[in-house]
Amino acid sequence: MKEYILRIQRLQERLRQSQLDGCMITQNVDLYYFTGSMQTGYLFVPSEGEAVFFVRRSVVRAQEESAITVEALGSFRSFGKRLAEVFGALFQQAAGSPKLKFAAEFDVLPVQQLLKLQNVLPNVEWADGSTIVRELRMIKSASEIAYIKEAARVIDLAFEHSLSILKPGVTELELMASIEQFIRLNGHIGLMRMRGYNQEVITGMVGAGEAAATPSYFDGPAGGRGLSAAVPQSASRRPIQANEPILLDVGCCIDGYVIDQTRTVVMGNLPDDLVHAYDTSERILRSVEEMLKPGTVCERLYMHSLLMAHEAGLSDHYMGFGDDQVKFLGHGIGLEIDELPVLAKGFNYPLQPGMVIAIEPKFTFPQRGVVGIENSYAITDTGFEKLTITREGLIRA
């Protein structure tokens, strides 16, 4: 319970620094992060004083779970009046003066919902608080990292299990289903959450040969063919064959927290140029690891990886191919798979202790496949801790 209170206090400190009077949290994952409950409602955090979680449903369950005071929301039409009653001093202070200024998560708040809030709180000016929230969540506590470690343990067991069923003719879907069943029985919640608009991820991407290199709307270096145009990513019904790269880019979510890892597998042998590309991905990872310490700027890691890919003669294949290349090396993970920081150009965050980052140098070859590796790391006071425990190397099944 104490950890949630500290999170609220850190949010309040950021609100005061930004001259904001309060923050309205509405998104499920953010509600869970700040309260310990994912029930439907509105968490209002004043810049000073006690936060209150106004819950539509289930109030009973929220009262059992939440570290923050819970009240029934009641009629939304009277929500503005309720806030004025509960936070009387805040609203009285603003009477006859400029509007109160509240933050909200504009990156995930639907326009319709914002309009409703504006309607019930006409004397409030709304500001984008999404960066504040995401930057707070960017730094993980020891307990958060422990959940991610448990997810890493489970996905490692699942990976070894998947190799035991892999043989020529097994379909991508069968392999993915085997992994999903294994991790589900070991506590995986059944999904991997993403914050990005119109972005979804199943349990990851399992793909072989040219199917893995099929481009997709998904913002990653390997999309996968998927089952149909309605699910245009990850595993298809394509049989996996010998002597082709098999990409296992899979995750696991335990108690809300995710691990993200990739391994490349082959039944037999790969052509020399694909082996060279895989070896380059490991060299990039090892070189980037040497730079994983507090103070290193995220952009620098990405630019360093671009230089190494260029020196290996693989720039055209790095992190995708052609117009479908993605412009990052890695990303933060936690309650969502696409958290801050991003290892990309223009992201000038210095690494800080508590950041957890997935780093994924990969190479895409159209009509042939994708090779690469991905590990997840926690930044420490002196460097990093590798959270991924699955064995590395080009794995021959």
Side-chain angles (χ1 to χ4, degrees):
M1 292 295 184
K2 181 180 179 182
E3 187 164 329
Y4 296 104
I5 301 301
L6 290 174
R7 292 172 184 175
I8 293 288
Q9 290 174 350
R10 287 195 290 268
L11 174 56
Q12 290 177 316
E13 182 179 355
R14 289 292 301 271
L15 293 175
R16 292 191 293 270
Q17 290 172 356
S18 301
Q19 298 184 315
L20 294 164
D21 298 298
C23 182
M24 190 74 73
I25 302 293
T26 64
Q27 191 234 25
N28 279 350
V29 176
D30 290 339
L31 287 173
Y32 176 73
Y33 179 78
F34 286 110
T35 72
S37 177
M38 203 178 280
Q39 300 305 303
T40 303
Y42 300 83
L43 170 65
F44 182 71
V45 182
S47 58
E48 301 274 1
E50 185 180 357
V52 177
F53 187 13
F54 296 91
V55 177
R56 185 176 68 81
R57 81 175 276 166
S58 161
V59 176
V60 172
R61 183 157 181 179
Q63 289 172 335
E64 294 173 352
E65 297 171 338
S66 176
I68 307 303
T69 298
V70 171
E71 292 197 12
L73 176 63
S75 170
F76 186 78
R77 287 192 295 268
S78 58
F79 185 37
K81 183 179 178 182
R82 286 283 310 286
L83 282 170
E85 291 171 354
V86 175
F87 299 95
L90 175 63
F91 281 78
Q92 289 169 12
Q93 172 186 338
S97 64
K99 288 184 175 183
L100 290 168
K101 193 170 185 179
F102 292 169
E105 314 129 300
F106 282 8
D107 64 327
V108 289
L109 181 64
V111 172
Q112 184 182 63
Q113 200 61 44
L114 176 60
L115 293 174
K116 289 180 178 179
L117 286 168
Q118 289 174 329
N119 186 52
V120 298
L121 291 164
N123 294 319
V124 170
E125 177 184 343
W126 294 91
D128 186 5
S130 56
T131 298
I132 291 175
V133 170
R134 296 188 73 195
E135 287 179 346
L136 288 172
R137 285 182 43 196
M138 179 171 68
I139 308 299
K140 306 314 190 277
S141 67
S143 62
E144 290 180 288
I145 292 174
Y147 286 129
I148 298 172
K149 286 182 176 180
E150 174 60 13
R153 185 189 71 82
V154 171
I155 202 62
D156 176 56
L157 295 174
F159 176 79
E160 296 297 337
H161 166 74
S162 72
L163 297 182
S164 70
I165 71 158
L166 187 58
K167 60 183 179 181
V170 168
T171 67
E172 295 174 343
L173 181 59
E174 288 171 330
L175 185 58
M176 172 63 97
S178 174
I179 294 170
E180 289 182 306
Q181 181 189 38
F182 187 97
I183 61 177
R184 194 78 168 102
L185 291 174
N186 283 276
H188 172 56
I189 69 171
L191 56 85
M192 307 269 284
R193 293 188 170 102
M194 290 195 72
R195 195 176 189 91
Y197 178 67
N198 271 352
Q199 288 293 300
E200 300 170 315
V201 65
I202 307 169
T203 305
M205 208 292 287
V206 168
E210 82 287 343
T214 304
S216 168
Y217 75 95
F218 181 71
D219 192 18
R225 186 177 293 168
L227 295 177
S228 73
V231 193
Q233 62 162 297
S234 192
S236 70
R237 292 183 173 86
R238 177 193 184 279
I240 301 171
Q241 302 299 335
N243 304 317
E244 63 181 8
I246 307 162
L247 198 74
L248 298 178
D249 182 353
V250 291
C252 177
C253 186
I254 300 291
D255 286 322
Y257 286 87
V258 301
I259 190 72
D260 195 8
Q261 75 171 43
T262 300
R263 294 296 184 264
T264 301
V265 179
V266 60
M267 295 182 288
N269 297 288
L270 292 182
D272 289 346
D273 62 336
L274 296 189
V275 173
H276 168 62
Y278 177 79
D279 289 343
T280 301
S281 72
E282 281 210 358
R283 284 197 299 272
I284 290 173
L285 192 65
R286 297 285 89 84
S287 185
V288 168
E289 283 178 347
E290 295 178 3
M291 303 167 68
L292 290 182
K293 54 188 176 183
T296 302
V297 174
C298 290
E299 179 185 60
R300 183 182 167 206
L301 298 172
Y302 173 61
M303 302 306 289
H304 178 71
S305 76
L306 286 180
L307 178 61
M308 290 192 68
H310 173 73
E311 290 174 343
L314 290 166
S315 292
D316 290 345
H317 300 272
Y318 186 52
M319 300 301 285
F321 186 83
D323 292 340
D324 294 304
Q325 282 183 305
V326 295
K327 308 299 183 184
F328 65 86
L329 167 65
H331 52 89
I333 60 171
L335 288 167
E336 293 162 323
I337 203 72
D338 55 345
E339 297 198 357
L340 294 177
V342 182
L343 307 186
K345 187 175 181 179
F347 282 83
N348 294 313
Y349 290 105
L351 295 181
Q352 302 175 54
M355 287 180 173
V356 178
I357 304 167
I359 301 176
E360 52 176 321
K362 295 170 184 166
F363 294 94
T364 299
F365 295 81
Q367 306 304 315
R368 300 180 68 199
V370 183
V371 297
I373 187 170
E374 178 179 22
N375 286 337
S376 294
Y377 303 86
I379 305 302
T380 66
D381 291 335
T382 57
F384 68 88
E385 178 183 7
K386 184 160 75 81
L387 305 182
T388 307
I389 61 174
T390 297
R391 56 188 166 123
E392 298 182 1
L394 181 56
I395 297 167
R396 288 175 169 81

